[in-house]
Amino acid sequence: MTAPSPQPGQGPTTSSVGPGQSRRTALPLTLTLLGTLVVIGTYLSVLLTQPANLGIDLGHTTLWVMLGYLLGGILLAAGTLPLIPRRVLALIPVAIALNIIIGQIIGNYTPVPLYLDSIGTVMIGVLAGPAAGAFTGIISNLIWGVTLSPSVIAFSSGAAFIGAAAGWAARLGVFRTPWTAVIVGAVAGVPAGAIGAPVAAYVFGGGLGAGTGGVVAILQAAGVEMFNATFAQSMFSDIVDKALIFALAYVVIRSLPKRIIGRYPFAAYSRPKAVRTGSTPQSGAPVESAPTAE
């Protein structure tokens, strides 16, 4: 479907910035803001209440925390969906499957204290931007939670953050070199670990995976308090995990054929400068355009 062209003599059309378009943009931004506030409110509530009997009486705590993060995740997903081009939506199911398969195997069947469950989310963020990355992270965790592991739902906000962070990093050109990808991935792991640690500690009584739970158990055996043990494990695991995933994203981006990269204009930010200049001689950078109907 193509938009009607302007009549001769009328000049460039300005309908794209009219009141209707402003309203269509305002609603997603409002939903995204509300979702962010719900997630932050839930996070702060967990920190402030801090159940004393960790790992024993988790029913009430689990319920309201799960509902809080679930509501925040749904609002964030509803707010980011309208901002995603349709061609990108076709890739999201593949990214979700990749997240779930790798995360399920690493988390349940290996002693590795990592997750590796956001490689698909990060790739979507690099190819299509922060909104698409955040949406992929949220939907991935919701589907994973409903089908295989309900506890994953409570970590949807962290998944959304990593997807958005990957998009922001790509926009800044982080994925042009492997070193910047690794460093920024490690930096992104710090807030990701901080987001997940209170949920893992106060709701689920420590690490959930075979590897991460083992690290928490070792630290507790050494005399470290539950939250401190979980926080230390989350920081270590998330920093290493996100550094590795950002490095893998760099390798994948550099390996993709130019014809594939060309389908996703946002990905040009992650190509070497010489390639970007050659492909966009007038501006030297791709233009982030609004999603169009296809």
Side-chain angles (χ1 to χ4, degrees):
M1 179 179 180
T2 58
S5 56
Q7 297 298 323
Q10 290 183 343
T13 178
T14 59
S15 58
S16 61
V17 294
Q21 180 67 25
S22 298
R23 286 192 294 270
R24 287 192 294 271
T25 304
L27 180 58
L29 292 177
T30 301
L31 292 174
T32 301
L33 177 60
L34 288 176
T36 302
L37 292 176
V38 171
V39 168
I40 292 175
T42 304
Y43 177 81
L44 293 177
S45 297
V46 172
L47 291 180
L48 292 175
T49 56
Q50 297 183 5
N53 45 351
L54 299 179
I56 301 175
D57 184 16
L58 299 177
H60 178 265
T61 303
T62 302
L63 178 61
W64 69 258
V65 172
M66 290 283 284
L67 289 177
Y69 279 111
L70 179 61
L71 175 60
I74 291 174
L75 290 172
L76 284 169
T80 54
L81 179 60
L83 305 177
I84 304 173
R86 291 184 181 178
R87 68 169 65 91
V88 176
L89 292 175
L91 284 180
I92 291 179
V94 178
I96 291 174
L98 193 62
N99 289 343
I100 295 175
I101 292 172
I102 295 178
Q104 192 73 10
I105 292 174
I106 296 296
N108 295 324
Y109 302 108
T110 72
V112 180
L114 300 176
Y115 316 108
L116 301 180
D117 57 357
S118 57
I119 180 62
T121 298
V122 169
M123 284 306 307
I124 294 295
V126 174
L127 290 173
F135 178 82
T136 303
I138 294 169
I139 297 301
S140 178
N141 275 40
L142 294 181
I143 293 176
W144 190 357
V146 170
T147 57
L148 294 173
S149 181
S151 60
V152 176
I153 294 175
F155 298 91
S156 298
S157 57
F161 169 78
I162 287 301
W168 293 326
R171 179 62 181 82
L172 295 174
V174 164
F175 292 93
R176 292 185 202 142
T177 69
W179 310 116
T180 53
V182 170
I183 292 171
V184 174
V187 172
V190 175
I195 291 172
V199 179
Y202 293 126
V203 179
F204 300 109
L208 297 178
T212 56
V215 172
V216 173
I218 292 173
L219 291 175
Q220 284 189 274
V224 182
E225 188 267 335
M226 167 66 78
F227 177 77
N228 292 333
T230 305
F231 190 84
Q233 174 272 312
S234 294
M235 282 297 168
F236 170 79
S237 297
D238 272 285
I239 289 173
V240 177
D241 183 80
K242 301 315 180 286
L244 181 58
I245 287 178
F246 273 48
L248 290 174
Y250 165 82
V251 172
V252 172
I253 285 293
R254 293 300 298 269
S255 303
L256 289 176
K258 293 181 182 179
R259 61 183 179 84
I260 300 296
I261 292 293
R263 297 177 185 176
Y264 308 98
F266 195 91
Y269 290 114
S270 300
R271 302 296 287 178
K273 289 185 177 181
V275 175
R276 292 177 64 231
T277 303
S279 61
T280 55
Q282 293 182 350
S283 62
V287 178
E288 298 179 56
S289 56
T292 56
E294 295 179 355

